[in-house]
Amino acid sequence: MADKILVLGSSGQIGTDLVESLREAYGNDNVVASDLREPSAERLAQGPFEQLNAMDAEAVFEVIKKHGITQVYHLVAMLSATAEKMPMKGWDLNMTSLFNFMELIKEGHISKMYWPSSIAAFGPNTPVNDTPQYTVMDPGTVYGISKLSGELWCDYYNKKYGCDIRGLRYPGLISYKTEPGGGTTDYAVDIFHKAVKGEDYHCFLSEDRRLPMMYMPDAIKATIGIMEAPAEQVKIRTSYNVASFSFTPRELNALIQKEVPGFKTLYDAVDERDAIAAGWPQSINDSEARAHWGWKPDFSLEAMVKDMLKNLK
Ligand code: AKB
């Protein structure tokens, strides 16, 4: 029987690109997009869509049964900056939606699930450079606490009940199709939108704040890669470190300037997101993901900058 895939959060930054790639690989009708928000007319025309609240266990179960869903990509989350403004809402959304689906796997209604973690699961006492897979994890944000807790629950459901749940610790993700919403790493997308409009960018992180980042095509490759890997190769069931490149706002600005002469970034809008970023790693060691299931990114930092500008123009 062909796999039937449900993508939750399909109108978000990752979901938009992921649905497209999954539909190319599995066929439009085998990938059900879903989101709390109403879909665009374009999205609706491309294939099945369900408007769904991932917190509503009954509604979720109905959608799973209606479409005979076998695999779920669960991309619903409140990101770091927004969750700091509404801690209990962030915790509730991030955890309740996860438990709804873990219970469905446990009861045998679906066979495989993807649930992403983040570099936010690390914290101020984590080694900042070449951060290993196994290390101190003391997240200082609600989002990070929910990601670390979720990772441990995914591992528990795997060990205790044999649930096939897989995850990646995403760095900041850069994409041109959909803008991110509510994250600390969003500046690395916002800056490109200003550059192509010929405007200055007022950055909310300080100029030397280095963070690990990844271009969306590589994030999609990693996401589908871990889901398609044979189960025995996915040896880590909390979540895998994955890495691509790291840069500071100053370095990104310099690379954009090479392509867009006259572009300028000003550091006059630094806010509380800079303190969040200060508690995160600067670069990530992903040797386990490379060794276990063959992860390898394609895009260099320079290639990403050129591709972003080309597509946004
Ligand atoms: C955020 O900035 O909150 C996210 C993340 C690193 O998970 N992009």
Side-chain angles (χ1 to χ4, degrees):
M1 206 180 68
D3 269 313
K4 267 278 181 137
I5 298 173
L6 176 67
V7 179
L8 296 155
S10 66
S11 308
Q13 192 200 9
I14 306 169
T16 302
D17 283 70
L18 184 66
V19 167
E20 255 182 58
S21 298
L22 287 172
R23 284 189 170 153
E24 269 165 34
Y26 292 84
N28 281 12
D29 291 343
N30 292 322
V31 180
V32 180
S34 93
D35 206 282
L36 189 57
R37 289 166 281 182
E38 270 190 45
S40 62
E42 196 191 344
R43 168 54 39 99
L44 212 49
Q46 286 160 355
F49 179 89
E50 292 286 348
Q51 198 166 357
L52 181 63
N53 179 357
M55 306 266 284
D56 182 342
E58 258 176 55
V60 162
F61 184 61
E62 267 169 39
V63 167
I64 297 286
K65 289 283 120 199
K66 176 177 163 193
H67 293 276
I69 298 296
T70 58
Q71 290 188 26
V72 171
Y73 287 77
H74 181 319
L75 305 175
V76 171
M78 193 183 288
L79 298 186
S80 55
T82 310
E84 285 309 285
K85 296 199 179 97
M86 36 183 132
M88 289 325 293
K89 264 196 165 171
W91 171 258
D92 195 24
L93 172 67
N94 295 357
M95 301 313 290
T96 305
S97 63
L98 171 61
F99 275 105
N100 282 347
F101 284 90
M102 287 198 303
E103 282 296 299
L104 288 174
I105 295 212
K106 184 181 142 195
E107 288 160 12
H109 299 297
I110 44 180
S111 55
K112 216 195 262 188
M113 173 164 97
Y114 176 77
W115 186 79
S117 183
S118 158
I119 54 164
F122 296 113
N125 291 296
T126 301
V128 285
N129 291 312
D130 207 28
T131 303
Q133 175 72 38
Y134 297 107
T135 186
V136 174
M137 297 181 84
D138 59 343
T141 60
V142 173
Y143 173 63
I145 295 169
S146 73
K147 286 298 173 189
L148 179 55
S149 311
E151 281 193 13
L152 295 171
W153 276 112
C154 289
D155 191 52
Y156 181 88
Y157 269 65
N158 174 262
K159 304 258 167 7
K160 188 97 177 172
Y161 309 120
C163 298
D164 191 355
I165 309 174
R166 306 165 182 216
L168 304 172
R169 292 174 182 151
Y170 286 134
L173 299 180
I174 301 165
S175 63
Y176 56 85
K177 285 187 195 148
T178 313
E179 291 185 45
T184 301
T185 59
D186 295 8
Y187 93 87
V189 177
D190 300 346
I191 193 171
F192 285 100
H193 286 270
K194 292 291 181 195
V196 295
K197 282 191 209 144
E199 293 172 21
D200 292 345
Y201 180 58
H202 298 265
C203 191
F204 59 77
L205 294 190
S206 50
E207 59 190 321
D208 292 317
R209 181 67 64 216
R210 184 175 302 283
L211 285 171
M213 301 273 183
M214 184 179 283
Y215 197 29
M216 190 58 84
D218 277 330
I220 300 300
K221 178 181 165 184
T223 305
I224 297 179
I226 193 174
M227 280 294 269
E228 289 185 344
E232 64 280 6
Q233 287 180 18
V234 186
K235 296 181 182 132
I236 295 172
R237 294 300 182 144
T238 45
S239 212
Y240 275 91
N241 278 9
V242 281
S244 190
F245 39 68
S246 295
F247 54 79
T248 64
R250 188 208 298 266
E251 289 163 356
L252 182 58
N253 173 68
L255 285 170
I256 295 174
Q257 266 174 354
K258 276 196 197 166
E259 309 295 322
V260 185
F263 173 69
K264 257 199 334 283
T265 299
L266 305 160
Y267 301 93
D268 55 0
V270 174
D271 64 20
E272 65 286 347
R273 287 171 281 188
D274 195 48
I276 297 178
W280 290 354
Q282 297 184 6
S283 64
I284 299 287
N285 183 311
D286 61 359
S287 41
E288 279 83 357
R290 288 174 184 252
H292 294 181
W293 47 273
W295 153 246
K296 195 162 120 354
D298 292 327
F299 278 84
S300 66
L301 172 55
E302 290 73 15
M304 175 279 286
V305 170
K306 287 199 167 89
D307 204 60
M308 276 294 285
L309 291 170
K310 188 180 89 194
N311 281 292
L312 283 177
K313 273 177 194 157

